[in-house]
Amino acid sequence: MSTLSPATARLTYRALEPVHGMIYFSPHGPQVYRELGITDPRMMYFASRSAAFGPVPAEVTIATFFNFNPAAVRAVLPAAWNLAAPSDILHARLAAADRSLRQAWGADVDGPEVREAATLARQAAERACERAHGRPLFAAHAALPWPAEPHLVLWHAQTLLREFRGDGHVALLLTEGLSGLEALITHAATGEIPPEVLRISRSWTEQDWAQGVAALRDRNWLADRDLTLSTHGAARRAAIETRTDELSTHPYEAIGPDGCDRLRKLASTLTIRIMDADLAFPPMLSQRYRDTVR
């Protein structure tokens, strides 16, 4: 039984998420990947995030990323490994994180707040390594060496915490009988993110989406007309989110409630500076992050 509130784990994770999440939007990412000969944005994403596995076939990425159209993954993997070795892609990704955080934090990139946040986040991430079983995407990243510089330690720690939480979430979606596409549709039906954002960003066609909606409606996950959850669907989706929080508490037990509070306080300044650093966050996502740390 965890001694840490699941809500505390969720809030602490969300407060630091921009430290990791900026890597998918920062202009420094495309710059370093192009130097390796990778010019397709989809290839940049799938190759950089799955490079920790090594030169895997597309099916490994399809399985672990879960909610992307398999055709989009197969279009760029394993072709990416013919352009650059996974180790080189990982090195480029870390370089992009370095440049991005230096841009955001300037002279404070090696300051006491970053150092303290890195220490706390690393303690949590190292605790997560005790429970890597059944979490393949987390385990692959956990096997990578820790960076030396504090700001990159913080970035790597949040990467591990993100993938730890994500793997647990995917397991719960599967136990509810949801496919990757159906999981996206139920997310859209909560009203948190516009459906078109999720559909397009995960490369699903309008026909795919419509078929998924129809299947979920047949199983009473969705209301009869609008893209909203039915009472049944809302209860099941809420149960998934609650259990995701519960499965995510273990890492943060390493620092306890006081450490989590301190980490969120440090994050409130660091993440706002990331939002203000012109790292190309979509406005809607930037606002969500800002609301989280207020």
Side-chain angles (χ1 to χ4, degrees), residues 43 47 54-59 61 73-84:
M43 184 179 285
V56 292
E59 282 66 27
T61 300
V73 183
R74 294 191 184 106
V76 298
L77 293 181
W81 316 133
N82 295 325
L83 297 174

Side-chain angles (χ1 to χ4, degrees), residues 184-201:
L184 282 180
I185 294 170
T186 62
H187 190 183
T190 66
E192 293 180 2
I193 300 180
E196 282 297 278
V197 171
L198 292 173
R199 183 185 70 78
I200 294 172
S201 66

Side-chain angles (χ1 to χ4, degrees), residues 37-54:
I38 296 174
T39 58
D40 184 302
R42 287 287 181 187
M43 184 179 285
M44 292 175 186
Y45 173 75
F46 291 124
S48 65
R49 191 174 169 214
S50 62
F53 286 122

Side-chain angles (χ1 to χ4, degrees), residues 240-276:
I240 292 170
E241 297 302 329
T242 297
R243 189 61 179 144
T244 297
D245 291 341
E246 292 171 350
L247 291 178
S248 300
T249 59
H250 181 73
Y252 298 101
E253 290 173 354
I255 58 176
D258 290 343
C260 288
D261 287 346
R262 179 59 180 163
L263 189 51
R264 290 198 304 275
K265 183 176 181 180
L266 293 165
S268 67
T269 299
L270 296 174
T271 58
I272 289 297
R273 290 182 67 176
I274 289 173
M275 297 294 97
D276 291 340

